Amino acid sequence: MWPVKVLMAHPAEFQVSYSINPYMKDEAGNLNQVDVPKAIKQWEALRDLFTHLGMAVQVLDAVPGLPDMVFTANQSFPFVNAEGRPSLLMSRMKSPFRQPEVEHFRTWAMKNKIQTYELKTSGNFEGMGDALWDYEAQEIFGGFGPRTSVEVYDQIRELTGKPVHLLKLVDERFYHLDTCLCLLGNSIAFAVREAFDEEGWSFLRTHFQTLKEIPLKEALENFAGNMLALGRQQIVMQSGAHQTKANLEKLGYQIHEVETSEFMKSGGSVFCMKLLYF
Ligand code: ARG
């Protein structure tokens, strides 16, 4: 079952004020400059598109000092627990800059009667940035390495009762699994080959009936690997990834292109900017 609920966080405090991934600095080594009014316009357009596509959108207020809170995919992992209750496993962000974001999501969950769980291990976990649902196959793909520690997936297996397929991320430009693997349902996936080791790539090739490769250039310049499927028909993606878009259209998808250039300056795009929850 595909979720219809979306949580976003307002970008009023969005900035690039530290660098924790290869996208946050320019060629001269300076932190990227964000145009905040432009970022707000791009974010509002994405929010309005979600609403237009029938999603129920909730918005968290911006918090001063937490510029990356807009990337609401990262602070938790949504699932339905054994009693059938909507639940979140709370993250432990790798960067100390981002760790204080998590409590705001915990508070929101409690207010919304969503059960929260805490990590049992000492490792890091960055929510649905690394733990991706195949909502149709009812399986989870778990990226690990740059941000998330592999051992957290034992707890995810236990909590969800679902299979978890582990995928090692080997290229720092693809520091979250959601930058390089898109699960579209119906045994279709798009992925960036460079992000995976031999073993991971051959697993993906045999696991899906259709696996399409996302060209490296489009993954880096257009964050094509960060596109979002909303059900079997609709894809929301950063504009400009022509090859990927053509491949999607051949498969019959309806594509909604958006502009996320200000957020790409922080290393994130569409998939990162929302939490799909139950
Ligand atoms: N600046 C943020 C970070 O490095 C970007 C997060 C992007 N989120 C994502 N799900 N890929 O943590």
Side-chain angles (χ1 to χ4, degrees):
M1 182 244 322
W2 295 81
V4 292
K5 297 178 183 172
V6 176
L7 179 66
M8 299 177 78
H10 195 274
E13 300 290 336
F14 176 59
Q15 267 305 331
V16 176
S17 44
Y18 46 77
S19 175
I20 55 172
N21 70 51
Y23 301 93
M24 298 176 84
K25 285 183 175 168
D26 63 20
E27 268 135 50
N30 300 311
L31 292 174
N32 288 328
Q33 294 284 319
V34 171
D35 177 338
V36 177
K38 189 172 170 187
I40 292 175
K41 283 209 183 78
Q42 292 179 341
W43 180 92
E44 287 173 344
L46 182 62
R47 178 200 57 195
D48 294 347
L49 176 62
F50 285 150
T51 306
H52 175 76
L53 292 174
M55 308 299 289
V57 181
Q58 275 208 48
V59 177
L60 287 180
D61 289 339
V63 177
L66 298 179
D68 274 339
M69 199 165 135
V70 290
F71 299 113
T72 54
N74 301 148
Q75 301 82 359
S76 70
F77 171 73
F79 64 101
V80 177
N81 76 5
E83 288 86 54
R85 283 192 62 185
S87 304
L88 295 183
L89 175 62
M90 304 315 297
S91 299
R92 185 182 300 120
M93 310 298 292
K94 180 162 182 185
S95 163
F97 291 120
R98 296 200 63 187
Q99 285 168 1
E101 295 172 20
V102 178
E103 66 188 81
H104 298 281
F105 290 77
R106 190 181 287 113
T107 305
W108 167 83
M110 287 169 179
K111 277 192 202 137
N112 286 272
K113 304 203 163 41
I114 296 173
Q115 177 88 43
T116 60
Y117 293 84
E118 302 300 326
L119 288 177
K120 289 196 299 196
T121 55
S122 59
N124 297 306
F125 176 54
E126 298 208 349
M128 70 180 295
D130 273 320
L132 307 185
W133 273 109
D134 184 326
Y135 296 111
E136 293 192 10
Q138 285 293 298
E139 298 177 335
I140 295 155
F141 291 74
F144 67 94
R147 297 285 179 92
T148 292
S149 320
V150 68
E151 60 271 17
V152 303
Y153 290 110
D154 290 334
Q155 188 179 357
I156 292 188
R157 256 187 216 108
E158 211 176 284
L159 286 172
T160 62
K162 307 292 183 192
V164 179
H165 305 296
L166 298 176
L167 290 164
K168 183 174 183 183
L169 297 171
V170 298
D171 183 326
E172 60 163 14
R173 296 170 299 181
F174 304 105
Y175 60 92
H176 276 147
L177 189 58
D178 74 1
T179 63
C180 52
L181 177 64
C182 316
L183 303 168
L184 307 188
N186 198 19
S187 199
I188 302 173
F190 278 54
V192 183
R193 182 195 285 262
E194 289 79 0
F196 302 96
D197 59 13
E198 217 39 42
E199 192 189 332
W201 187 255
S202 65
F203 167 75
L204 293 173
R205 287 189 56 131
T206 51
H207 189 76
F208 295 100
Q209 265 162 34
T210 306
L211 179 71
K212 292 276 182 221
E213 209 175 312
I214 296 172
L216 182 61
K217 189 172 177 339
E218 295 189 353
L220 296 175
E221 290 172 14
N222 313 99
F223 274 73
N226 201 241
M227 67 171 135
L228 171 67
L230 297 175
R232 271 200 185 187
Q233 298 294 317
Q234 315 289 347
I235 302 283
V236 184
M237 65 193 291
Q238 164 61 36
S239 74
H242 303 297
Q243 185 61 54
T244 304
K245 188 180 175 205
N247 285 336
L248 287 161
E249 278 166 348
K250 268 183 240 155
L251 291 167
Y253 289 97
Q254 219 173 307
I255 318 291
H256 305 272
E257 287 186 302
V258 293
E259 293 304 328
T260 59
S261 59
E262 294 312 302
F263 299 93
M264 284 159 55
K265 291 176 179 172
S266 184
S269 182
V270 177
F271 194 96
C272 311
M273 293 168 68
K274 57 87 205 83
L275 184 73
L276 280 185
Y277 67 100
F278 300 102

